[in-house]
Amino acid sequence: MKNIVKTLCTLLALILILPACSAGSGESSGESSEKLLPITINGTEIRIGETTVQALLDQGMNVGWVDENYERVDVDPSMELEPEAYYTGGSIRVSENVFAQISFVTEDKAVPLGEAVIARLEFSLVGEEDKSVLEKIAFDGVPITELTREKAGEMYPDWTGDEVMWLKYGLEYKYDLNFDMTSGQMTKFSASREYDVDWNGGD
């Protein structure tokens, strides 16, 4: 009888422990998920993989691309896009010298361009000397005029790189920050999200 009671107590203890272990495992999985780092332009936050082209247009941003005649034209948000396709070649005009190059993606159904999600954004900052323009661009809440190579290392100690680049290539998000070797100031950066779609959609 004692053995039966002991066995029942052991089984009861296992039943109580297993759900706790499962919950703990779930929490660990959540904690290890990759963090989305937003980019801000003139006060408008862009979240890669979430922000749509229409959201940028609603904030008064100049979104366009260069046509076959090498002239910049504004995007048409009503233009129908193919499903599960990746479109490149778009850009956001920030100043005469600075543009944010963007790619956008569609998922399981055809949608108007305005509903396409920003999948990648890249800034090349070389050539812009007006600090007031650069101060309007921020990466993860920090103006790029303040985000030096040294500060990037402090903010993201688990990233990898060297004195001119600091990188995070995760399973879902990729971040690539580039800096001037002499001054440590940022010269270029990009952020993107991985998608399993037709990469030739907009080429």
Side-chain angles (χ1 to χ4, degrees), residues 87-104:
Y87 292 80
T88 62
S91 65
I92 305 169
R93 183 197 294 271
V94 180
S95 73
E96 289 300 315
N97 299 320
V98 175
F99 292 82
Q101 303 301 320
I102 59 172
S103 300
F104 37 91

Side-chain angles (χ1 to χ4, degrees), residues 58 81 104 148 151 168 172 179 187:
D58 289 345
L81 301 184
F104 37 91
T148 61
K151 186 172 182 62
K168 175 67 172 181
E172 187 174 9
F179 305 87
T187 58

Side-chain angles (χ1 to χ4, degrees), residues 3-203:
N3 288 337
I4 295 175
V5 173
K6 185 176 181 181
T7 301
L8 288 174
C9 288
T10 303
L11 288 173
L12 181 60
L14 285 172
I15 291 170
L16 292 173
I17 289 171
L18 285 174
C21 290
S22 299
S25 175
E27 288 172 5
S28 297
S29 175
E31 289 172 358
S32 64
S33 63
E34 296 176 44
K35 183 181 179 183
L36 169 60
L37 305 178
I39 295 162
T40 306
I41 303 175
N42 292 335
T44 298
E45 184 178 85
I46 300 174
R47 299 174 64 83
I48 302 300
E50 297 180 10
T51 301
T52 64
V53 173
Q54 187 62 56
L56 302 182
L57 296 174
D58 289 345
Q59 292 298 315
M61 288 192 170
N62 183 310
V63 184
W65 53 48
V66 176
D67 64 14
E68 61 273 12
N69 298 316
Y70 302 102
E71 295 182 1
R72 180 175 171 79
V73 296
D74 294 338
V75 297
D76 176 4
S78 66
M79 183 177 76
E80 193 79 0
L81 301 184
E82 298 176 7
E84 298 185 337
Y86 195 95
Y87 292 80
T88 62
S91 65
I92 305 169
R93 183 197 294 271
V94 180
S95 73
E96 289 300 315
N97 299 320
V98 175
F99 292 82
Q101 303 301 320
I102 59 172
S103 300
F104 37 91
V105 68
T106 60
E107 297 194 65
D108 57 352
K109 63 180 180 178
V111 296
L113 188 153
E115 295 180 23
V117 173
I118 306 300
R120 186 176 191 279
L121 184 150
E122 177 179 320
F123 261 112
S124 178
L125 308 169
V126 177
E128 180 56 72
E129 298 179 358
D130 188 344
K131 193 173 181 180
S132 65
V133 171
L134 299 178
E135 287 174 341
K136 296 176 182 178
I137 306 167
F139 181 87
D140 197 15
V142 179
I144 58 173
T145 50
E146 301 174 15
L147 189 51
T148 61
R149 171 61 186 83
E150 181 180 4
K151 186 172 182 62
E154 294 172 355
M155 291 176 63
Y156 315 111
D158 60 329
W159 291 20
T160 59
D162 54 28
E163 67 271 17
V164 295
M165 64 178 66
W166 204 232
L167 316 172
K168 175 67 172 181
Y169 283 7
L171 295 176
E172 187 174 9
Y173 297 103
K174 292 186 177 181
Y175 303 102
D176 188 332
L177 313 183
N178 294 259
F179 305 87
D180 180 81
M181 182 180 292
T182 303
S183 67
Q185 294 296 313
M186 181 177 281
T187 58
K188 181 180 178 181
F189 73 88
S190 66
S192 61
R193 182 175 180 179
E194 293 296 295
Y195 284 92
D196 183 18
V197 295
D198 178 8
W199 288 73
N200 297 315
D203 292 344

